[in-house]
Amino acid sequence: AQHLMLLNRWQLHLWRKAGLVDVSMDGKGKCLRNTLLDGRLVSWAENDWRLPASGQLSFDFVALYRPPADCSTVSFDAWGQVLAALADLVAPKIREGDKEDPLVRKQVAKVQWALRAISSRVWLLTRQLRNLLCIFLNRQDRGETLTTFFLRCVDWPINGKCCQPKFSRHHWKLLSQRLGYLNLFPYGQPEMSFHVIDLEQCDQRR
């Protein structure tokens, strides 16, 4: 957690130097969202980066980092080979009414670990992320995959809405609460979408 706080301070410095809008949950520049200490919501002062001395701390960390203008995305041929290999591991053909094979669940966990390991090394287009979501049968697995890669998509603010149909409205709302309202807002295609705004949250008052 201390390393994440240090990373947050560095990213916030670069973010503010670039003149970007604060998208944090409490308007204090923190990457931490939904922070709980012993089950109760907590918030830090803007210049306070200390961790609590005791207690169980949990939070969602959403980085203040976006794709650079000159980054190159993975080629469609290479990504197609990756998807084909992963589909054989995590998406076997299942007849209606059959229970999920525990072995497949273990394979999914290994695939998720591998995807997280490479996520910092690749840039994607949003439609490539959508294709990746399609190989997972479980919405929870899709949510973890989107959480890992949505900030690695160079066109996410414009085309991120194309991933939304892979989730129920309720699940997308939970993802929005977890990852940030402004981060998942469909800027390029706001039409035909429904939004409930919580004005207690700083990022939703923007």
Side-chain angles (χ1 to χ4, degrees):
Q2 189 63 58
H3 290 163
L4 289 177
M5 294 294 272
L6 180 61
L7 176 62
N8 190 167
R9 292 187 70 176
W10 173 66
Q11 290 186 345
L12 180 60
H13 171 73
L14 297 179
W15 191 267
R16 287 177 172 172
K17 187 176 181 180
L20 299 176
V21 174
D22 186 355
V23 295
S24 62
M25 187 174 185
D26 56 7
K28 299 174 183 177
K30 299 294 191 292
C31 294
L32 312 183
R33 301 184 60 85
N34 311 305
T35 308
L36 298 177
L37 179 63
D38 291 334
R40 293 187 295 181
L41 283 170
V42 294
S43 178
W44 276 267
E46 184 171 357
N47 295 318
D48 186 6
W49 301 93
R50 297 169 298 175
L51 289 174
S54 62
Q56 183 176 0
L57 182 68
S58 66
F59 53 83
D60 296 307
F61 186 91
V62 183
L64 290 173
Y65 185 74
R66 299 298 182 269
D70 59 348
C71 63
S72 299
T73 59
V74 177
S75 70
F76 283 99
D77 288 341
W79 193 242
Q81 293 176 20
V82 171
L83 295 178
L86 295 181
D88 291 338
L89 292 173
V90 303
K93 296 186 182 299
I94 301 177
R95 293 177 301 179
E96 186 176 356
D98 288 351
K99 293 183 178 179
E100 184 180 43
D101 187 341
L103 179 60
V104 173
R105 175 45 45 191
K106 292 182 180 180
Q107 292 281 48
V108 169
K110 291 180 180 179
V111 166
Q112 293 281 8
W113 181 89
L115 290 173
R116 284 192 294 270
I118 69 167
S119 63
S120 64
R121 300 174 180 268
V122 299
W123 299 107
L124 302 175
L125 293 172
T126 304
R127 53 179 166 163
Q128 290 176 310
L129 174 55
R130 177 188 167 93
N131 291 339
L132 178 59
L133 297 178
C134 288
I135 73 171
F136 293 99
L137 303 180
N138 187 293
R139 283 200 183 101
Q140 187 66 32
D141 297 328
R142 293 177 185 174
E144 291 303 314
T145 304
L146 184 133
T147 299
T148 301
F149 283 102
F150 83 103
L151 289 180
R152 307 300 296 182
C153 292
V154 299
D155 60 339
W156 177 263
I158 302 300
N159 297 317
K161 189 177 180 180
C162 76
C163 292
Q164 189 170 348
K166 295 302 172 185
F167 303 90
S168 66
R169 177 177 291 182
H170 174 69
H171 198 178
W172 190 257
K173 180 181 178 181
L174 294 178
L175 285 171
S176 181
Q177 293 171 350
R178 179 181 178 185
L179 303 177
Y181 180 81
L182 291 178
N183 290 328
L184 295 193
F185 186 84
Y187 296 98
Q189 297 174 305
E191 67 277 4
M192 301 300 293
S193 59
F194 179 78
H195 302 276
V196 176
I197 299 175
D198 182 0
L199 296 179
E200 290 187 358
Q201 306 298 334
C202 180
D203 58 337
Q204 296 189 39
R205 295 197 300 270
R206 291 290 182 183

